[in-house]
Amino acid sequence: MRCGAVFEELAVEVVTELPGGARREVLDLIERVLLTPRAWPDVRDAGAIEEIREAFGARCWIQYMPHDGAIAVREIGWAG
């Protein structure tokens, strides 16, 4: 857990493989999401029970689920 963020296994693998500057950009995005987790778009499929949202940075994105003041980071993408 990092500042209210729980990382799923695949997200951990991706973030650990990123170079330092890329990792910092992803972690900065996560910190912004933690401030207002429901401000980002809900992308769940119709009929889905879990709330799934996506947030975008300059060269990265995350897919996450908000949970009572925390988030579960499901996926991390890097386009840099």
Side-chain angles (χ1 to χ4, degrees):
M1 187 161 192
R2 182 188 190 287
C3 299
V6 176
F7 292 76
E8 292 190 9
E9 188 174 333
L10 180 58
V12 169
E13 290 177 25
V14 171
V15 81
T16 58
E17 292 177 8
L18 291 173
R23 186 177 313 117
R24 183 73 251 158
E25 186 174 328
V26 169
L27 295 176
D28 287 347
L29 176 60
I30 290 169
E31 288 176 11
R32 288 195 322 263
V33 167
L34 283 167
L35 295 174
T36 55
R38 287 189 168 79
W40 301 87
D42 189 339
V43 297
R44 67 182 132 180
D45 293 327
I49 296 170
E50 294 178 320
E51 181 179 0
I52 301 170
R53 295 183 175 264
E54 287 181 338
F56 297 88
R59 295 175 291 181
C60 65
W61 60 269
I62 63 169
Q63 188 177 78
Y64 66 96
M65 298 181 307
H67 292 289
D68 299 325
I71 62 170
V73 179
R74 298 167 38 112
E75 293 182 34
I76 295 172
W78 177 254

